[in-house]
Coordinates of all heavy atoms in Angstrom, one line a residue:
T292 N 44.8 0.3 -0.7 CA 45.3 0.9 0.5 C 44.8 2.4 0.7 O 44.0 2.8 -0.2 CB 46.8 0.9 0.5 OG1 47.2 1.7 -0.6 CG2 47.4 -0.5 0.4
D293 N 45.1 3.0 1.7 CA 44.6 4.5 1.9 C 45.5 5.4 1.1 O 46.2 6.2 1.5 CB 44.7 4.8 3.4 CG 43.9 3.9 4.2 OD1 42.6 3.9 4.0 OD2 44.4 3.3 5.1
S294 N 45.4 5.2 -0.3 CA 46.1 6.0 -1.2 C 45.1 6.7 -2.2 O 44.3 6.0 -2.9 CB 47.0 5.1 -2.0 OG 47.5 5.7 -3.2
L295 N 45.2 7.9 -2.3 CA 44.3 8.7 -3.1 C 44.4 8.2 -4.6 O 43.4 8.0 -5.3 CB 44.6 10.2 -3.1 CG 43.6 11.1 -3.8 CD1 43.6 12.5 -3.1 CD2 43.9 11.3 -5.3
E296 N 45.6 7.9 -5.0 CA 45.8 7.5 -6.4 C 45.3 6.1 -6.7 O 44.6 5.9 -7.7 CB 47.4 7.5 -6.7 CG 48.1 8.9 -6.8 CD 48.2 9.4 -5.4 OE1 48.2 8.7 -4.4 OE2 48.4 10.7 -5.3
I298 N 42.7 4.6 -5.1 CA 41.3 4.7 -5.0 C 40.8 5.4 -6.2 O 39.8 4.8 -6.9 CB 40.8 5.4 -3.8 CG1 41.4 4.7 -2.5 CG2 39.3 5.5 -3.7 CD1 41.2 5.6 -1.2
G317 N 35.1 3.0 3.6 CA 36.3 3.3 4.4 C 37.0 4.6 4.0 O 36.8 5.1 2.9
G318 N 37.8 5.1 4.9 CA 38.6 6.3 4.6 C 37.8 7.5 4.4 O 38.1 8.4 3.7
M319 N 36.6 7.6 5.1 CA 35.6 8.8 4.8 C 35.6 9.8 6.0 O 34.8 10.7 6.0 CB 34.2 8.3 4.6 CG 34.0 7.6 3.3 SD 34.3 8.7 1.9 CE 33.1 10.0 2.3
S320 N 36.4 9.6 7.0 CA 36.4 10.6 8.1 C 37.2 11.8 7.8 O 37.7 12.0 6.7 CB 36.9 10.0 9.4 OG 38.4 10.0 9.4
V321 N 37.3 12.8 8.8 CA 38.0 14.1 8.5 C 39.5 13.9 8.8 O 40.3 14.8 8.8 CB 37.5 15.2 9.4 CG1 36.1 15.5 8.9 CG2 37.5 14.8 10.9
D322 N 39.9 12.6 9.2 CA 41.4 12.4 9.4 C 42.1 12.6 8.2 O 41.8 12.3 7.1 CB 41.5 10.9 9.9 CG 42.9 10.6 10.4 OD1 43.9 10.8 9.7 OD2 43.0 10.2 11.6
A323 N 43.3 13.2 8.4 CA 44.2 13.6 7.3 C 44.6 12.4 6.5 O 45.0 12.5 5.3 CB 45.4 14.4 7.8
D324 N 44.6 11.2 7.2 CA 45.1 10.0 6.4 C 44.0 9.4 5.6 O 44.2 8.5 4.8 CB 45.5 8.9 7.4 CG 46.8 9.3 8.1 OD1 47.6 10.1 7.6 OD2 47.0 8.9 9.3
D325 N 42.8 9.9 5.7 CA 41.7 9.3 4.9 C 41.5 10.0 3.5 O 41.3 11.3 3.5 CB 40.4 9.5 5.7 CG 40.2 8.5 6.8 OD1 41.0 7.5 6.8 OD2 39.4 8.7 7.7
K326 N 41.8 9.3 2.5 CA 42.0 9.9 1.1 C 40.7 9.6 0.2 O 40.8 10.1 -0.9 CB 43.2 9.3 0.5 CG 44.5 9.5 1.3 CD 44.8 10.9 1.5 CE 46.1 11.0 2.2 NZ 46.5 12.4 2.5
T327 N 39.7 8.9 0.7 CA 38.6 8.5 -0.2 C 37.8 9.7 -0.7 O 37.5 9.7 -1.9 CB 37.6 7.5 0.5 OG1 38.4 6.4 1.0 CG2 36.5 7.1 -0.3
P328 N 37.5 10.7 0.2 CA 36.8 11.9 -0.4 C 37.5 12.6 -1.5 O 37.0 13.0 -2.5 CB 36.6 12.8 0.7 CG 36.6 11.9 2.0 CD 37.6 10.8 1.6
G329 N 38.9 12.7 -1.4 CA 39.6 13.4 -2.4 C 39.7 12.5 -3.7 O 39.7 13.1 -4.8
A330 N 39.7 11.2 -3.5 CA 39.7 10.4 -4.7 C 38.4 10.5 -5.5 O 38.4 10.5 -6.7 CB 40.0 8.9 -4.3
Q341 N 28.6 16.2 0.8 CA 29.6 15.5 1.5 C 29.2 15.7 3.0 O 29.4 16.8 3.5 CB 31.0 15.9 1.3 CG 32.0 15.1 2.1 CD 33.4 15.5 1.7 OE1 33.7 16.3 0.9 NE2 34.4 14.9 2.5
M350 N 29.1 10.9 7.6 CA 30.1 11.2 6.7 C 29.9 10.7 5.2 O 30.7 10.7 4.3 CB 31.4 10.7 7.1 CG 31.8 11.2 8.5 SD 31.9 13.0 8.7 CE 33.3 13.3 7.6

Side-chain angles (χ1 to χ4, degrees):
T292 61
D293 298 303
S294 161
L295 190 151
E296 291 75 18
I298 301 168
M319 286 299 302
S320 79
V321 294
D322 191 300
D324 292 333
D325 286 343
K326 306 298 184 183
T327 304
Q341 182 178 355
M350 303 305 293

